[in-house]
Amino acid sequence: MALLVFSSIGNHSRSRITCLLLCILSLACTVSSSAASSSSSSSSSSPFDVVWDVAYPNLGKDVTKRIVIRVHPEWAPLGAARFRELAEKNFYKGTRFFRVVPNFVAQIGIHGNPDVSKQWRDNKIQDDPAVPNISNKRGTVTFAKSGENTRTTQIFINFSDNGNLDSMGFPPFGEVVEGMDAVDAINQEYGESPQQGMIQEQGSRYLKTKFPKLTYVKTTSLTSTSEESSPASGKDEDDL
């Protein structure tokens, strides 16, 4: 009888221990999941830098300058996320500033490969709401669009303070923190002559033939604001 009682107590204890271990394991998984989620959320809301080394054929074959764009996700979360996505895919490498309006903006963002452009053409994102005190000041970077909820890959850098764009649905997502001299040096001789439809259809071949001295992004890299930049991979500009 005593043996049976002892056995019963032993089984009950083992059941309690097993239950306790399962609870601890479940709690550990929950904590780990929460930490990963928190880390991911923190990463997506933290500023980051995109570094462009830019070539200037009009100034000489080997002339390059650096532009560093600091992205602020809190300014325009959807725009910042899209720009990060494009930067991670090395999208802007080899792209040209095809629309340059003095004292207004320098626009870029149609890929040199028509097949790549086609993949993004209808991949639109929703508009971001305007944020108080965030304006299209000189040096800020903003997505271009053709109407509501039509942002894809084209962006522009403001040469001047263009606050009139704020109420028109153009919230900046970043700013040039290094290299405004490089921005000011972007070749302006072709103005708005390059046709977007032709760029979409023929890519860099059209631009190299008709507008050979356009300024273009030669190399790109992406980094957090506390780390050194690492070069993005991809084809050389001349392969586009």
Side-chain angles (χ1 to χ4, degrees), residues 96-232:
R96 286 159 166 75
F97 288 92
F98 65 87
R99 178 175 180 250
V100 186
V101 184
N103 301 312
F104 186 41
V105 300
Q107 190 164 327
I108 191 171
I110 302 179
H111 200 274
N113 184 330
D115 291 335
V116 175
S117 288
K118 187 176 181 180
Q119 293 171 11
W120 289 93
R121 197 172 306 158
D122 295 321
N123 191 355
K124 302 172 183 177
I125 60 173
Q126 297 291 302
D127 289 340
D128 281 301
V131 175
N133 302 318
I134 302 301
S135 178
N136 281 274
K137 297 179 179 180
R138 170 173 163 80
T140 53
V141 187
T142 306
F143 270 94
K145 63 179 190 175
S146 57
E148 291 186 359
N149 305 317
T150 59
R151 296 180 297 174
T152 55
T153 61
Q154 294 189 42
I155 63 173
F156 59 82
I157 303 174
N158 287 289
F159 281 128
S160 306
D161 292 344
N162 296 315
N164 59 303
L165 297 176
D166 300 346
S167 61
M168 298 169 64
F170 293 93
F173 63 85
E175 59 182 330
V176 175
V177 293
E178 179 185 331
M180 272 309 293
D181 61 322
V183 174
D184 291 334
I186 292 171
N187 189 8
Q188 303 181 5
E189 69 176 283
Y190 302 119
E192 300 180 76
S193 296
Q195 300 177 34
Q196 294 194 34
M198 292 295 291
I199 306 173
Q200 297 277 8
E201 181 180 336
Q202 299 183 17
S204 291
R205 179 164 57 89
Y206 162 70
L207 293 176
K208 286 181 178 180
T209 301
K210 300 292 185 180
F211 311 98
K213 296 182 180 180
L214 285 175
T215 304
Y216 65 88
V217 177
K218 190 173 181 66
T219 65
T220 70
S221 59
L222 171 68
T223 179
S224 70
T225 56
S226 60
E227 299 174 350
E228 292 186 2
S229 61
S230 57

Side-chain angles (χ1 to χ4, degrees), residues 36-49 70-78 80-81 84 173 224-225:
S37 176
S38 175
S39 176
S40 175
S41 175
S42 176
S43 175
S44 64
S45 62
S46 299
F48 60 92
D49 289 348
R70 179 153 300 163
V71 178
H72 299 278
E74 71 275 16
W75 291 5
L78 297 178
R84 173 182 279 276
F173 63 85
S224 70
T225 56

